[in-house]
Amino acid sequence: MGEPANDREKAMAAVEAMFTRYRILASQRPQDHIDFDREVMDNLKIVDAGLDGSVSFELYMSPNFSNLNDVMHGGAAGVIFDMATTSALCPVAQPGYWEFMGGVTRSLNISYLKAVPIRTKVLLSSRVVSVGKQMAMIRGVMTSLDGKITYCTVEHHKVNAPVLEHHKKVRVPWDDEFERQWEAKKKSKI
């Protein structure tokens, strides 16, 4: 994505922090409770991220995402894109601004172009197009790993929402770095 290594590392760490916090919170649920998005969150593998609000993942299209035609179910695409595009907000987050899980979905518009075969890997690429205090829009695409086949695209609109109090209590190593960066920025403006 053409950014200096340090910027790329910061962006990747911001995205990874969302996944780490998600896993901690999921582990605190009763053992018989399985969240709708857990299959996606457990299997997205980060490939790249940028401070511009871009992120790419690989995802194995497991049979859990299939329909009776042995291709990805359209509803599965909604959950997959929701989680993958939301994570693009992590590198642009600030304290009180698009933090953990990036608010709530306002609309998720998916264009299905080609059936996604089960038991293949796909590449999901997302980029924040617009982000303000209350609204954000992210675009994403799901392709073959080599980029030659575009399976579907998405336009995802989000509304900023405060982080739930019990989510704030779960701290991950990124939180300390995140707070240090913002304290340094505030001091540099004085």
Side-chain angles (χ1 to χ4, degrees):
M1 292 185 185
E3 293 191 30
N6 193 30
D7 287 352
R8 180 180 181 268
E9 289 169 15
K10 282 181 187 176
M12 298 258 305
V15 173
E16 286 291 348
M18 181 182 108
F19 283 79
T20 301
R21 183 172 281 108
Y22 176 91
R23 289 183 186 108
I24 292 167
L25 289 164
S27 74
Q28 295 172 352
R29 305 280 259 178
Q31 287 208 316
D32 64 342
H33 183 93
I34 299 175
D35 293 303
F36 192 62
D37 50 15
R38 192 173 200 161
E39 179 83 11
V40 176
M41 295 300 281
D42 285 346
N43 291 294
L44 282 173
K45 305 296 179 219
I46 190 168
V47 173
D48 203 1
L51 292 179
D52 60 348
S54 57
V55 65
S56 297
F57 296 99
E58 283 186 7
L59 177 67
Y60 173 69
M61 202 53 63
S62 78
N64 290 340
F65 296 128
S66 72
N67 62 21
L68 287 175
N69 297 323
D70 285 326
V71 295
M72 177 189 68
H73 189 287
V79 178
I80 292 165
F81 271 131
D82 189 9
M83 304 315 291
T85 54
T86 293
S87 67
L89 288 164
C90 296
V92 300
Q94 298 174 22
Y97 178 81
W98 299 104
E99 290 182 273
F100 178 63
M101 299 302 280
V104 296
T105 296
R106 180 172 178 240
S107 68
L108 190 72
N109 184 8
I110 301 171
S111 294
Y112 301 93
L113 306 172
K114 187 165 178 61
V116 181
I118 296 302
R119 295 184 177 84
T120 60
K121 283 187 179 179
V122 297
L123 181 66
L124 292 140
S125 300
S126 303
R127 180 174 304 279
V128 174
V129 174
S130 175
V131 63
K133 283 183 145 184
Q134 291 302 313
M135 303 284 190
M137 198 266 274
I138 308 114
R139 285 201 180 115
V141 63
M142 183 185 300
T143 67
S144 57
L145 288 182
D146 63 8
K148 292 181 180 178
I149 302 168
T150 300
Y151 295 114
C152 43
T153 63
V154 70
E155 188 171 282
H156 188 181
H157 294 260
K158 303 231 17 152
V159 176
N160 196 9
V163 177
L164 297 174
E165 286 302 317
H166 69 279
H167 289 179
K168 283 183 186 179
K169 292 177 183 173
V170 174
R171 303 261 318 157
V172 298
W174 171 250
D175 293 334
D176 295 332
E177 176 62 23
F178 182 73
E179 290 165 4
R180 271 194 299 277
Q181 287 178 24
W182 289 104
E183 282 301 314
K185 278 191 177 189
K186 281 197 295 191
K187 288 179 182 175
S188 70
K189 291 181 180 182
I190 297 176

